Amino acid sequence: DEKNDFAVCGVYDAQDLQHKVTEQCRDMEPQVRALFTSAEIEGKVVVSAEIPAADVLRRPVYYKGKGRLGGSFVRVGDADELMSEFEIYGYEAYHRHTKNDRRIVEEADLSLWKEDRLAKYVAAIKKERPNLSALVSDAEIPEKMGLVKDGHPSLAALMTFSHCPQVFLPQLCVTAVVVPGRTKGESDADGARFTDNKKICGAIPEMLDEAEAFVARNTRSAVVFMADGVRKTRTEYPMKAVREAILNALIHRDYSAYSETSPVRIEIYADRLEVISKGDIYGAVPVSALGRADIGKRNAFLVDTLEAIDKTENRNSGIATMRAECRAFNLPEPIFSCVHGEFRVVFKNAQPADEVKFEREHAEESILAFCELPRSREELAAFAGKHQNYVMSTWVRPLLAAGKLLRTDSQSPKS
């Protein structure tokens, strides 16, 4: 009983309870099988039902009575929220190996192409695939490689070779803002909500360079003297890591019709830098596996195309590079999260954090300030000076349900 200091209540009939839970499990598609355990605690019978996680190829598990769209839910705090059509689509795209980067953009043509970049691509393909170049002419290679069909480019080709893909897909861009504070809505002395605000267009290589320049222009730098006396400019954030985060957002984002109206976002705050893109981690791999496991690529064709013109390595090294660069700058490792179909990378800067003290009359504000960096349940309990279960039920879960607090891994209830 959560309202009575988690006192043990016991169940009326262990066998009947298990039977009713099993009946509910049969109403799911694919069918769920619970693992039951019964025990006696404080003289009362308690039953646990463990539901093993479904394999990613079988997700989402949904209630048959409502169908896939009406019966698929995701747990957020203490609430069950109906999954959006886009979130369900993310699983289906993985199941079907949907290749949105190869889809032909019928309304686009080849009039705005960068011919020099295309020539570099053709030369790379000829070197990499000599058997193909021996059978077809240089002019035929783009079509044979899937870049072009009937005079129309694929999405990958458009985002790589066009001078301005946004003529045809206006929101496949980058929006970048600088917020004068730690939260949106704060304004500077003149009442401005953003001290800089830019929409960045062009092909992926151009957007990458311009977005990196925007971050460099709007973050601090200082001259430091190394041990050998050499002067070196030190940036607020490791720009190599920032560039990797922006590149990952541009090439691994979801490019389906569900999200082609959503740009990649860069948000610079007083204490952090965020890079946000549309799309869960491909294959619903947990955040904890990033950089440590070989994760499939949502846009493999786009990655291969950019690799041919030396814009990406395609070696799964981006996450590891971001972490190593932040460590080298004595900064916290970047925070990766995936919530409601958006992937977010957060870099914290070296600004000294204000010492946060727990105030009972302002408990929620205290916890939110304390959680500007990821915290464990144990740290939260020690911070509030209360039992872990009490802290979670009284403050943390309501904050999660309200969307004010986020899990570091949306797939893990305890994160």
Side-chain angles (χ1 to χ4, degrees), residues 22 25-26 28 30-36 49-52 58:
T22 300
C25 289
R26 288 173 183 162
M28 307 302 291
Q31 194 172 114
V32 171
R33 298 189 186 279
L35 304 177
F36 293 103
E50 299 175 63
I51 312 296
R58 301 179 54 160

Side-chain angles (χ1 to χ4, degrees), residues 357-382:
K357 294 182 179 179
F358 183 76
E359 299 179 24
R360 179 61 185 258
E361 60 273 22
H362 302 293
E364 290 193 355
E365 291 83 354
S366 299
I367 287 173
L368 289 174
F370 185 64
C371 287
E372 284 193 357
L373 290 175
R375 304 292 186 179
S376 68
R377 292 177 173 223
E378 291 78 10
E379 288 176 311
L380 283 163

Side-chain angles (χ1 to χ4, degrees), residues 138-157:
D138 289 6
E140 293 176 296
I141 285 178
E143 187 160 357
K144 295 297 183 184
M145 291 300 297
L147 293 179
V148 180
K149 183 178 180 181
D150 300 329
H152 301 287
S154 66
L155 189 141

Side-chain angles (χ1 to χ4, degrees), residues 41-234:
I41 302 176
E42 298 177 7
K44 298 175 182 178
V45 176
V46 174
V47 176
S48 77
E50 299 175 63
I51 312 296
D55 184 88
V56 66
L57 291 174
R58 301 179 54 160
R59 298 180 191 176
V61 179
Y62 61 93
Y63 172 54
K64 289 189 288 188
K66 291 289 185 74
R68 186 185 290 261
L69 285 178
S72 298
F73 292 82
V74 62
R75 191 73 169 169
V76 179
D78 276 352
D80 293 323
E81 291 191 6
L82 192 66
M83 290 179 71
S84 68
E85 192 171 347
F86 174 65
E87 288 175 303
I88 295 172
Y89 163 79
Y91 285 108
E92 293 180 343
Y94 180 73
H95 299 165
R96 300 171 183 174
H97 303 288
T98 302
K99 299 177 177 63
N100 284 299
D101 54 338
R102 296 192 73 121
R103 66 183 170 100
I104 299 301
V105 184
E106 298 286 351
E107 60 270 32
D109 55 39
L110 313 182
S111 61
L112 298 176
W113 273 38
K114 294 175 175 288
E115 296 297 338
D116 56 339
R117 184 172 293 167
L118 182 61
K120 181 177 182 179
Y121 172 83
V122 169
I125 294 302
K126 288 174 68 177
K127 181 178 180 181
E128 185 181 284
R129 297 173 172 85
N131 292 340
L132 175 65
S133 60
L135 297 173
V136 300
S137 66
D138 289 6
E140 293 176 296
I141 285 178
E143 187 160 357
K144 295 297 183 184
M145 291 300 297
L147 293 179
V148 180
K149 183 178 180 181
D150 300 329
H152 301 287
S154 66
L155 189 141
L158 187 69
M159 298 304 297
T160 304
F161 300 108
S162 176
H163 278 277
C164 190
Q166 292 75 25
V167 169
F168 310 102
L169 296 167
Q171 292 303 314
L172 292 187
C173 60
V174 177
T175 59
V177 299
V178 182
V179 179
R182 296 189 176 191
T183 59
K184 277 187 179 177
E186 293 186 40
S187 57
D188 63 11
D190 297 323
R193 289 179 298 163
F194 305 124
T195 56
D196 200 355
N197 180 9
K198 187 174 182 61
K199 181 177 180 179
I200 300 170
C201 297
I204 286 176
E206 283 69 42
M207 288 196 289
L208 175 62
D209 291 342
E210 195 171 340
E212 182 183 9
F214 180 92
V215 172
R217 185 171 68 248
N218 284 287
T219 51
R220 295 182 297 272
S221 61
V223 174
V224 295
F225 288 89
M226 310 305 289
D228 54 6
V230 175
R231 287 164 54 100
K232 185 177 181 181
T233 300
R234 172 76 171 243

